[in-house]
Amino acid sequence: MAGISRPRGTDDLLPERLAALEHAITVGTQVSSRYGYRRLQTPIFEASDLFVRGVGDATDVVRREMYTFEDRGGRSLTLRPEGTAPVVRAFWESELRQSPLPVRLSYSGPMFRYDRPGRGRYRQFHQFGVEVLGESEPELDAEVIAVAWRWLAELGVGGTSLQLNSIGDEACRPRYREALLQHFSSHLADLPELDRDRLARNPLRILDSKDPEMAPLLESAPRTTDYLCQDCVDAFDRVQEALRAYGIPYQLNPRLVRGLDYYQRTAFEVWHESLQGAQNSLFGGGRYDGLSEVLGYPKCPGVGFAAGLERVALLSRVAEPPPEPQIFALSADRAAAGAVIAVAEELRRSGLRVVADVGSRSLRGKMRTAERAGVDVVVIVGEAEMGQGAVTVRSLRAGTQESAAAAALLEAVGPLLTRSESGLGGVT
Ligand code: HAM
């Protein structure tokens, strides 16, 4: 077909998949609310600077993946590539900043990255995430991990592993940065151009390299955990102790750095065995105590995670499919459209799912459509019957047909519905 196709890297969420995604959000919201988290929603576009400064101008996200545009007023805006910087901004710009700390928030919605599309990787994807703002206790790092972990459990997602690391803070990061510089500088001539550029801008970002030629150099690179200051070591111990209290198993992974610049100390990802390579992370997160100041606000520690909903929904137990209609209301006569609408509305008022077929096809054509839709009952409004205040009720399951008084329609239809969730318990 020669029509206009959807943009590369986007997807249409058809009813079944949308139900799975929404189910994941519903369960995530329920689980996080048991830990005291409340939902918020920030705009889909923000001032570009929020991400340039927040996520970091040496990151792949900012350098190559942002959807940035100028609006008619000449402002540079960006479709949000992630939700953490917007949540911190919203905190400072609202009454949230006056609430007792820490503030616990959850969110979901579309994110945009000009990524190379592939399995589980989109240019518009959806995240569910949580953020805790205003307190730096390491036990909170374990709490957000616990929310994520329980959420996956309730969705029936197994085969996951929690990868945990500490990447230090402003006190010990300079020493680590120096060690990285030394390690990679001695091989400068062998580095791919992109990685040479990364080294010059922010040596830590070189650890994001996906270039296979870099694998041996990355393998022998200095490890973050060998350079932690005592405060970071102590905090990391407390995170692990709290994870044990939650009963959550983890794998220490000193190679884990995360691709966004705002992280300090705890960094984590949850990987799934079926997701390969760079796409194996179901979600990622960590502590970002310096982000607020980088954005021009007062100091405000924070920690959180975000999960890719497309990836989570793919692995979760199938959500209940979206409910199908139970009844078709129709007539052979176009002039009876008003009566068809009235009958359908009457039934809907009782919670039934009714399609009013007011098309101009033949009665046979409409009956065939109702059969294909798999409904239990067809209510046929005939001109002659309407005059007598009656309709025909046909059971497609039993193949029976009877005339029913319009006033007693519900009593006639109720016993013919097969689906247990018909809601008729409260009707008859
Ligand atoms: P992130 O690791 O960039 O972290 O993204 C989190 C999750 O979003 C990933 O683990 C992945 O499941 C999903 N994701 C990322 N890019 C794509 C894509 N192109 N297609 C499909 N799914 C994708 C953040 O965004 C941080 N804001 C997380 C955070 C919250 N840190 C602290 N608080």
Side-chain angles (χ1 to χ4, degrees), residues 81-84 107 113 115 120-123 125 127 130-131 258 260 262-263 269 281-286 288 303-308 310-311:
E82 64 99 46
T84 307
Y107 56 90
R113 295 184 192 178
D115 218 337
R121 197 169 45 194
Y122 301 92
R123 290 182 174 169
F125 58 99
Q127 284 187 344
V130 309
E131 314 290 351
R258 311 275 300 125
L260 314 168
Y262 50 60
Y263 293 111
E269 289 186 357
S281 113
L282 272 183
F283 52 78
Y288 47 87
V303 64
F305 81 83
E310 280 79 1
R311 298 180 191 179

Side-chain angles (χ1 to χ4, degrees), residues 22-88:
E22 285 175 337
H23 176 66
I25 295 170
T26 304
V27 175
T29 306
Q30 280 165 358
V31 170
S32 57
S33 78
R34 293 207 288 271
Y35 291 75
Y37 292 71
R38 294 184 306 147
R39 264 174 79 77
L40 92 166
Q41 197 160 306
T42 61
I44 284 176
F45 57 83
E46 296 271 0
S48 301
D49 240 13
L50 183 74
F51 303 113
V52 174
R53 282 158 66 176
V55 173
D57 59 6
T59 58
D60 282 357
V61 168
V62 168
R63 289 189 68 72
R64 299 187 288 161
E65 298 177 0
M66 294 213 301
Y67 280 90
T68 297
F69 59 97
E70 208 170 86
D71 75 0
R72 285 164 195 273
R75 303 168 194 90
S76 177
L77 300 173
T78 293
L79 298 183
R80 62 179 179 199
E82 64 99 46
T84 307
V87 168
V88 172

Side-chain angles (χ1 to χ4, degrees), residues 136-139 141 166 169 172 228-242 244 265-266:
S136 56
E137 303 304 329
E139 286 74 19
D141 308 20
S166 172
D169 63 7
C172 49
L228 297 182
C229 58
Q230 195 54 47
D231 284 351
C232 285
V233 169
D234 293 345
F236 199 33
D237 285 345
R238 279 173 63 189
V239 174
Q240 295 178 60
E241 209 171 299
R244 285 192 289 274
R265 297 192 171 170
T266 311

Side-chain angles (χ1 to χ4, degrees), residues 368-385:
R368 218 174 297 131
T369 309
E371 277 160 25
R372 285 188 59 190
V375 295
D376 293 327
V377 172
V378 177
V379 176
I380 306 161
V381 181
E383 207 183 343
E385 288 164 303

Side-chain angles (χ1 to χ4, degrees), residues 37 40 45 72 89 105 114 161 185 194 196 212 225 239 316 328 342 357 364 387 405-406:
Y37 292 71
L40 92 166
F45 57 83
R72 285 164 195 273
R89 178 202 52 67
L105 300 163
Y114 192 78
S161 73
S185 297
L194 178 63
R196 226 176 302 155
T225 35
V239 174
S316 60
F328 262 48
D357 186 347
R364 262 188 61 190

